[in-house]
């Protein structure tokens, strides 16, 4: 069921996920379309997330935005009072008590781990988005596992010190007992600066012709059931509950929006196992999270390799 409306305020709005923003010229959504998008969200009872560019919007736009309860997603540097601040790389620093998204490659994460762990004492939540999942190889498994376990050790120390900071790759799985994926096209949809709807921002930046409706005519997602978990035979058996299950990445790598690639599955399961490692470290320190669930040991990283067990 549709729950969220993401509104890209400009062609240069910051990316907060895997996709790259390939537009350099500003194109602000028209005020008419912005207001119509807000009315659409009100009629459909949707939560609105506004994604900002790196410049100040006109006053009339800010007035329209403030007419509805919403979440602001802004690039670092414009994060005063922002709900979510995005760092694209390692320039800048998240504000005290903020929710921060850091976009980086696997190698950049490893290289800048001391910087990232230094942020743990100041932020409330840190979402790490790997921008090169599709390039992940089996040779990268060991180094990624080591990076996550090092981060888990730091997190365990923070929890012991009374600072239970959230890091999506490690702490989300501790409290999940079912899939909590991105849900693009199922529980969220994006309104782009051209006034058209898209499954998610990545589809807009990839090809404007991939729209799934307009404000004037409404949504029209063909075969929408094929984006849902209940139509994903592998994913619905999986317990890497934190996995984004990115349908845009699926479409690019497997030609099937509802079937993740080997890369995405392996990355998610390395993270799942690192969450189990964190759980064990917390238990060793006498810390038991009241809302956590025991993570079982597994002997695979790609669920496709054990598909015969489900038959």
């Amino acid at each position: 069921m549709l729950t969220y409306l993401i509104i890209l305020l400009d062609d240069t709005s910051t990316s907060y996920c895997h996709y790259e923003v390939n537009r350099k010229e500003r194109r602000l959504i028209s005020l008419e379309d912005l207001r119509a998008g807000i009315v659409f969200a009100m009629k459909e009872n949707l939560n609105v997330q506004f994604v900002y560019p790196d410049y100040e919007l006109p006053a009339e736009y800010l007035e329209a935005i403030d007419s509805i309860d919403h979440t602001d997603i802004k690039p670092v540097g414009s994060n005063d009072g922002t709900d979510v601040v995005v760092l694209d790389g390692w320039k800048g620093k998240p504000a005290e008590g903020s929710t921060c998204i850091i976009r980086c490659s696997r190698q950049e994460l490893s290289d800048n781990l001391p910087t990232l762990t230094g942020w743990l004492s100041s932020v409330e939540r840190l979402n790490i988005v790997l921008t090169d999942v599709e390039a992940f190889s089996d040779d990268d498994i060991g180094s990624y596992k080591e990076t996550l376990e090092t981060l888990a050790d730091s997190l365990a120390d923070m929890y012991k010190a009374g600072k239970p900071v959230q890091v999506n790759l490690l702490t989300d799985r501790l409290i999940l007992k079912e899939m909590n994926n991105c849900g693009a096209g199922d529980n969220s949809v994006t309104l782009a600066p051209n006034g058209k709807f898209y499954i998610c921002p990545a589809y807009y930046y990839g090809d404007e012709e991939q729209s799934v409706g307009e404000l004037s005519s409404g949504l029209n997602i063909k075969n929408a059931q094929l984006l849902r978990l209940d139509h994903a035979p592998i994913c619905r058996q999986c317990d890497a509950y934190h996995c984004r299950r990115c349908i845009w990445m699926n479409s690019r790598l497997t030609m099937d929006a509802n079937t993740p690639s080997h890369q995405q599955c392996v990355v998610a399961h390395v993270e799942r196992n690192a969450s189990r490692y964190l759980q064990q470290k917390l238990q060793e320190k006498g810390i038991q999270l009241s809302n956590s669930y025991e993570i079982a040991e597994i002997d695979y990283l790609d669920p496709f390799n054990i598909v015969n067990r489900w038959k």
Side-chain angles (χ1 to χ4, degrees), residues 2 39 43 54 106 116 123 126 171 199 201 205 226 288:
L2 201 61
V39 170
K43 287 182 177 179
D54 64 355
R106 180 194 60 80
L116 186 139
V123 300
L126 183 64
T171 61
I199 290 175
Y205 287 110
L226 299 181
Q288 182 64 48

Side-chain angles (χ1 to χ4, degrees), residues 6-37:
I6 301 162
I7 299 182
L8 301 178
L9 294 169
D10 190 274
D11 267 0
T12 61
S13 291
T14 186
S15 171
Y16 60 89
C17 201
H18 303 291
Y19 67 91
E20 298 294 336
V21 174
N22 53 15
R23 314 289 174 89
K24 302 300 182 184
E25 295 185 10
R26 296 176 179 178
R27 176 166 64 160
L28 190 61
I29 188 172
S30 72
L31 191 57
E32 178 184 5
D33 284 344
L34 174 60
R35 289 170 173 162

Side-chain angles (χ1 to χ4, degrees), residues 57-282:
L57 298 181
E60 59 268 30
Y61 279 74
L62 298 177
E63 182 179 352
I65 289 169
D66 285 339
S67 69
I68 188 171
D69 289 336
H70 64 277
T71 298
D72 289 330
I73 302 175
K74 297 183 179 182
V76 68
S78 55
N79 58 344
D80 289 341
T82 298
D83 299 295
V84 181
V85 60
V86 181
L87 282 80
D88 199 347
W90 299 91
K91 294 181 179 179
K93 182 180 179 181
E96 186 79 22
S98 66
T99 293
C100 174
I101 297 174
I102 173 71
R103 299 180 68 251
C104 62
S105 69
R106 180 194 60 80
Q107 188 60 55
E108 288 170 342
L109 175 62
S110 176
D111 293 343
N112 293 277
L113 200 55
T115 298
L116 186 139
T117 54
W119 293 342
L120 296 181
S121 61
S122 62
V123 300
E124 291 297 323
R125 179 175 174 86
L126 183 64
N127 283 358
I128 302 169
V129 176
L130 295 182
T131 56
D132 61 343
V133 171
E134 60 194 72
F136 195 97
S137 71
D138 289 346
D139 292 337
D140 297 325
I141 293 174
S143 60
Y144 188 44
K145 174 178 179 290
E146 182 179 343
T147 296
L148 291 178
E149 289 183 354
T150 300
L151 181 57
D153 288 334
S154 297
L155 268 178
D157 290 339
M158 293 293 298
Y159 274 63
K160 184 66 175 177
K163 173 67 174 177
V165 61
Q166 299 175 23
V167 177
N168 64 324
L169 302 184
L170 294 171
T171 61
D172 285 5
R173 179 59 182 80
L174 297 178
I175 61 173
L176 293 172
K177 58 179 179 179
E178 61 184 12
M179 279 293 185
N180 184 36
N181 313 132
C182 169
D186 181 18
N187 61 29
S188 69
V189 71
T190 294
L191 177 63
N194 62 1
K196 297 181 179 181
F197 292 112
Y198 293 83
I199 290 175
C200 81
Y203 284 88
Y204 170 64
Y205 287 110
D207 181 4
E208 282 195 40
E209 297 302 314
Q210 297 188 77
S211 67
V212 290
E214 302 184 28
L215 284 166
S216 58
S217 56
L219 281 172
N220 181 25
I221 302 178
K222 297 178 180 179
N223 297 316
Q225 74 279 5
L226 299 181
L227 304 178
R228 299 201 311 257
L229 179 64
D230 60 7
H231 278 65
I234 294 179
C235 293
R236 67 172 181 250
Q237 299 287 345
C238 179
D239 77 340
Y241 298 141
H242 71 290
C243 176
R244 299 303 292 160
R245 212 171 72 83
C246 176
I247 63 171
W248 169 71
M249 197 182 306
N250 296 348
S251 299
R252 296 175 64 198
L253 299 180
T254 69
M255 308 304 168
D256 182 350
N258 223 3
T259 302
S261 65
H262 172 72
Q263 296 97 314
Q264 191 170 182
C265 287
V266 168
V267 166
H269 281 78
V270 172
E271 294 161 358
R272 174 215 182 271
N273 291 344
S275 295
R276 182 173 184 270
Y277 173 87
L278 172 60
Q279 190 172 65
Q280 293 172 331
K281 289 297 179 181
L282 291 174

